[in-house]
């Protein structure tokens, strides 16, 4: 008798595309496909998956474009030779954080009674109170952010409750704008989804709940009680809790796939749907981070993700409920000045040659003889400051450095900042701690060696990071299949190829950076105070 395979399906609805990934129970990838919004759905006339409005700060995506992308990817899956959809035993997924979808009254009734002879996009045409969904790139809610913070003891008070100060892209502020500026649409709205729970809703045939981890990026969820904060709901719009529903743990099975998907595409009636989550929480799962690890993404902007046992939120970063263990947390820190300052120094000092840049790093001493530079070409997030600032070993301000010293200074300054702010947010090294490096600069071993030295941690790179969010939800499915606990997660991923060790800290220079840390902290504070 032939036994049917057990497979997992994950979907990732990012800003520019929808991706589907299927693995077998042993986590072997057997199917991948991506729908690009700009090229595969040109009728929606998006650029980079969004519409940029004339005011320059309002940025949205057509909700029906996402629906049609789901139609298309399910058709591709249905016709695939690699997998039959009755082999899928569990579905989960991820989506861009902070985006929101506004279901019109009676939309859930439509979801529950879809006709398997027609497409989703044909049947959901009239189901949205707002036809365009605000996304994370939107920056049009500054006034709403100020108003919300005034209700809760400023940005610090709001961060203590929700894990973040008020940000323009966060859902609470987007909802407030819709209530104030599009009152009729809000009144006609029956339910509000995050993009992640919107996709999950289509799979379960009813309004899917928002999970704790993605819900942490809304300025509405109390990250400690994991419930909506009533004061914040009331500050945004009336009857908001009715439109949001109750949030759920990220590892909760929220139902079975809908009858529509069973009949139209051949999903098994036993196929379960795991709560969908946001892209950053999914990335933490996809990189298999554990307590004491830190993921450092070195791209246009630099980002840190790490697991923490306790929440230590501040207005300059983000704390989310952990997607693997609901009683713990994950922190995310964003640094706007990433690759651009590195590239500027490389172009100016090393004629654009990274080979020369790396040679210069090797011929200069760790700690740069006490010289520290802060290179913020753009207004920085952590801290809120701008400009190029330099001091020598006597803490005297400098107007310029020797070119060869600039090369080391830009790298050391960036990594000292990352360590300072990670530790202030609760990052603590353990005996098995490590750095997982991703992004463009993670291919540069000379830069990674300095990262290792500054943090006093070994640095690893992952075999592949292109699917970190999508594969993270596959791992979450396997975790749920095993029982749903933190232990089950690490049992689920034990067969995953381990990251590759790139470099380890050099014992003779670690104390140099420990000493520089104290001076860097004082120096950074001085430039923030001077800007104030």
């Amino acid at each position: 008798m032939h036994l049917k395979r057990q497979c997992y399906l994950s979907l990732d609805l990012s800003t520019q595309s929808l991706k589907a990934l299927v693995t077998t129970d042993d986590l072997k990838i057997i199917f991948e496909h991506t729908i690009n919004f700009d090229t595969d759905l040109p009728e929606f006339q998006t650029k980079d998956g969004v519409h940029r409005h004339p005011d320059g700060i309002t940025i949205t995506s057509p909700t029906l474009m996402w629906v049609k992308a789901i139609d298309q990817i399910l058709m591709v899956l249905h016709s695939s030779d690699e997998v039959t959809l009755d082999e899928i035993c569990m579905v989960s997924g991820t989506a861009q954080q902070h985006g929101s979808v506004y279901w019109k009254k009676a939309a859930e009734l439509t979801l529950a009674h879809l006709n398997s002879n027609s497409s989703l996009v044909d049947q959901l045409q009239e189901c949205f109170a707002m036809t365009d969904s605000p996304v994370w790139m939107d920056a049009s809610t500054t006034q709403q952010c100020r108003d919300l913070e005034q209700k809760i003891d400023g940005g610090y008070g709001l961060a203590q409750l929700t894990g973040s100060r008020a940000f323009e892209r966060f859902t609470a502020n987007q909802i407030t704008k819709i209530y104030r500026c599009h009152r009729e649409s809000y009144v006609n709205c029956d339910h509000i989804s995050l993009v992640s729970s919107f996709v999950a809703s289509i799979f379960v045939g009813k309004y899917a709940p928002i999970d704790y981890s993605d819900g942490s990026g809304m300025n509405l969820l109390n990250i400690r009680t994991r419930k909506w904060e009533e004061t914040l709901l009331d500050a945004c719009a009336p009857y908001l809790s009715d439109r949001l529903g109750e949030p759920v743990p990220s590892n909760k099975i929220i139902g079975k796939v809908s009858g529509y998907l069973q009949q139209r595409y051949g999903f098994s009636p036993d196929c379960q749907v795991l709560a969908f989550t946001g892209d950053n929480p999914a990335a933490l799962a996809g990189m298999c981070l554990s307590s004491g690890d830190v993921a450092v993404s070195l791209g246009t902007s630099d980002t840190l993700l790490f697991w923490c046992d306790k929440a230590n939120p501040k207005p300059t970063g983000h704390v989310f409920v952990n997607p693997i263990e609901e009683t713990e947390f994950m922190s995310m820190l964003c640094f706007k000045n990433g690759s651009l300052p590195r590239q500027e120094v490389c172009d100016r000092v090393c004629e654009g040659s990274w080979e020369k840049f790396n040679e210069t790093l090797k011929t200069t001493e760790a700690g740069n003889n006490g010289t520290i530079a802060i290179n913020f070409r753009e207004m920085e997030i952590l801290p809120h400051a701008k400009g190029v600032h330099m001091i020598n070993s006597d803490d005297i301000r400098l107007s310029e450095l020797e070119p060869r010293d600039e090369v080391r200074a830009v790298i050391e300054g960036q990594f000292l900042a990352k360590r300072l702010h990670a530790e202030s947010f609760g990052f603590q090294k353990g005996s098995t701690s490590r750095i997982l490096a991703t992004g463009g600069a993670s291919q540069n071993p000379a830069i990674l060696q300095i990262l290792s030295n500054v943090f006093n941690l070994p640095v690893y790179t992952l075999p592949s990071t292109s699917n970190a969010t999508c594969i993270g939800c596959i791992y979450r499915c396997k975790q749920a299949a095993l029982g749903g606990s933190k232990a089950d997660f690490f049992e689920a991923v034990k067969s995953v190829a381990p990251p590759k060790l790139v470099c380890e800290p050099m014992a003779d220079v670690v104390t140099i950076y420990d000493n520089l840390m104290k001076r860097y902290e004082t120096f950074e504070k001085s430039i923030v105070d001077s800007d104030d």
Side-chain angles (χ1 to χ4, degrees):
M1 178 179 174
H2 177 69
L3 294 177
K4 184 170 66 176
R5 290 185 303 182
Q6 284 199 330
C7 300
Y8 303 114
L9 166 63
S10 171
L11 294 104
D12 178 9
L13 199 162
S14 67
T15 311
Q16 299 182 34
S17 64
L18 174 66
K19 180 167 189 167
L21 186 71
V22 178
T23 73
T24 54
D25 187 56
D26 61 1
L27 305 181
K28 177 184 176 183
I29 296 173
I30 57 174
F31 174 88
E32 290 183 78
H33 189 77
T34 300
I35 302 292
N36 181 281
F37 299 142
D38 291 359
T39 57
D40 295 327
L41 300 171
E43 64 269 32
F44 292 98
Q45 299 182 330
T46 58
K47 178 172 172 48
D48 303 320
V50 300
H51 289 153
R52 292 172 173 83
H53 294 241
D55 63 6
I57 55 175
T58 300
I59 300 180
T60 62
S61 288
T63 311
L64 279 173
M65 177 182 73
W66 295 338
V67 175
K68 190 165 185 178
I70 295 170
D71 266 329
Q72 287 197 1
I73 214 153
L74 287 173
M75 287 297 295
V76 174
L77 260 170
H78 181 58
S79 60
S80 167
D81 294 329
E82 287 82 12
V83 62
T84 58
L85 291 182
D86 68 342
E87 295 178 306
I88 305 294
C89 64
M90 192 178 299
V91 180
S92 188
T94 178
Q96 53 178 289
Q97 282 200 273
H98 317 302
S100 46
V101 173
Y102 300 81
W103 297 91
K104 191 183 290 185
K105 289 179 179 177
E108 190 170 38
L109 193 63
T110 302
L111 273 175
H113 296 90
L114 293 170
N115 183 338
S116 61
N117 293 318
S118 298
S119 68
L120 288 167
V121 74
D122 286 343
Q123 297 179 81
L124 298 181
Q125 291 275 347
E126 303 300 323
C127 282
F128 303 105
M130 297 285 296
T131 57
D132 290 290
S133 290
V135 295
W136 67 273
M137 299 167 70
D138 186 273
S140 65
T141 61
T142 301
Q143 185 58 53
Q144 288 79 14
C145 289
R146 290 173 181 162
D147 294 344
L148 189 63
E149 289 185 350
Q150 286 178 0
K151 299 281 186 181
I152 308 290
D153 193 26
Y156 179 83
L158 187 61
Q160 287 300 304
L161 277 177
T162 71
S164 304
R165 70 168 176 83
F167 285 91
E168 281 82 357
R169 64 189 182 275
F170 275 39
T171 323
N173 310 299
Q174 296 292 337
I175 292 170
T176 304
K177 177 186 171 184
I178 287 171
Y179 173 66
R180 292 178 182 175
C181 302
H182 305 279
R183 184 69 57 88
E184 185 177 352
S185 294
Y186 183 82
V187 170
N188 289 331
C189 174
D190 188 42
H191 187 82
I192 299 173
S193 295
L194 295 181
V195 184
S196 60
S197 61
F198 151 75
V199 182
S201 298
I202 289 177
F203 273 82
V204 293
K206 59 184 178 181
Y207 297 147
I210 293 169
D211 79 293
Y212 292 160
S213 201
D214 203 4
S216 307
M218 297 174 70
N219 281 146
L220 288 174
L221 187 82
N222 184 314
I223 58 172
R224 294 177 181 83
T225 66
R226 293 171 293 285
K227 296 182 181 297
W228 303 125
E229 189 66 30
E230 290 293 336
T231 307
L232 298 174
L233 296 175
D234 293 342
C236 292
Y239 307 109
L240 182 52
S241 61
D242 295 340
R243 288 170 168 81
L244 294 174
E246 288 297 316
V248 299
S250 302
N251 60 8
K252 182 178 177 61
I253 300 294
I254 59 173
K256 302 282 184 71
V257 293
S258 70
Y260 172 81
L261 293 182
Q262 296 171 36
Q263 296 159 24
R264 185 171 175 84
Y265 296 109
F267 278 91
S268 165
D270 297 321
C271 179
Q272 297 177 307
V273 180
L274 178 68
F276 283 40
T277 193
D279 52 2
N280 292 302
L284 179 136
M287 290 185 282
C288 303
L289 289 185
S290 58
S291 185
D293 292 342
V294 57
V296 179
S297 176
L298 301 171
T300 304
S301 295
D302 290 346
T303 306
L304 267 68
L305 284 177
F306 55 92
W307 181 310
C308 43
D309 300 333
K310 297 180 180 179
N312 187 32
K314 297 182 179 181
T316 48
H318 311 287
V319 178
F320 303 141
V321 176
N322 194 297
I324 295 168
E325 174 50 69
E326 67 181 81
T327 63
E328 299 181 19
F329 303 91
M330 61 172 280
S331 291
M332 184 174 76
L333 308 179
C334 300
F335 300 82
K336 187 178 292 186
N337 290 273
S339 65
L340 295 182
R342 295 190 287 267
Q343 186 69 57
E344 192 278 333
V345 172
C346 180
D347 290 344
R348 180 165 45 80
V349 176
C350 302
E351 301 172 336
S353 167
W354 285 101
E355 184 176 347
K356 289 184 179 179
F357 188 96
N358 292 345
E359 283 302 314
T360 305
L361 284 178
K362 293 175 183 177
T363 59
T364 51
E365 294 184 7
N368 227 3
N369 295 313
T371 299
I372 299 175
I374 293 174
N375 196 320
F376 296 157
R377 301 284 162 173
E378 303 289 336
M379 178 62 73
E380 188 51 83
I381 301 168
L382 279 171
H384 188 71
K386 186 177 181 180
V388 178
H389 311 268
M390 299 167 286
I391 54 173
N392 64 15
S393 58
D394 295 320
D395 295 333
I396 297 171
R397 295 283 185 127
L398 303 173
S399 59
E400 60 182 4
L401 295 177
E402 289 292 325
R404 64 192 300 273
D405 293 335
E406 273 196 87
V407 171
R408 178 167 286 275
V410 68
I411 302 299
E412 289 185 341
Q414 288 185 332
F415 292 158
L416 288 167
K418 289 171 177 54
R419 176 178 159 184
L420 171 66
H421 292 287
E423 290 176 351
S424 75
F425 266 76
F427 174 69
Q428 294 182 327
K429 292 184 290 187
S431 59
T432 61
S433 294
R434 58 191 176 169
I435 294 172
L436 297 175
T438 69
S442 68
Q443 304 304 309
N444 188 318
I447 288 177
L448 295 187
Q449 183 63 63
I450 296 176
L451 176 63
S452 178
N453 291 339
V454 170
F455 274 79
N456 192 16
L457 287 173
V459 175
Y460 293 75
T461 55
L462 297 171
S464 172
T465 57
S466 61
N467 296 327
T469 54
C470 219
I471 199 68
C473 289
I474 295 287
Y475 297 163
R476 293 174 54 244
C477 283
K478 186 69 183 286
Q479 174 193 17
L482 292 176
S485 73
K486 178 168 68 172
D488 292 325
F489 178 83
F490 291 106
E491 175 68 18
V493 299
K494 67 180 183 181
S495 64
V496 174
K500 176 185 176 183
L501 177 64
V502 178
C503 53
E504 297 186 84
M506 302 164 64
D508 57 333
V509 303
V510 165
T511 54
I512 293 174
Y513 291 115
D514 286 342
N515 293 330
L516 276 181
M517 278 299 305
K518 301 169 186 175
R519 291 183 53 230
Y520 177 87
E521 181 176 10
T522 301
F523 182 32
E524 185 184 276
K525 186 177 185 301
S526 75
I527 70 166
V528 175
D529 290 344
S530 66
D531 285 348
D532 292 344

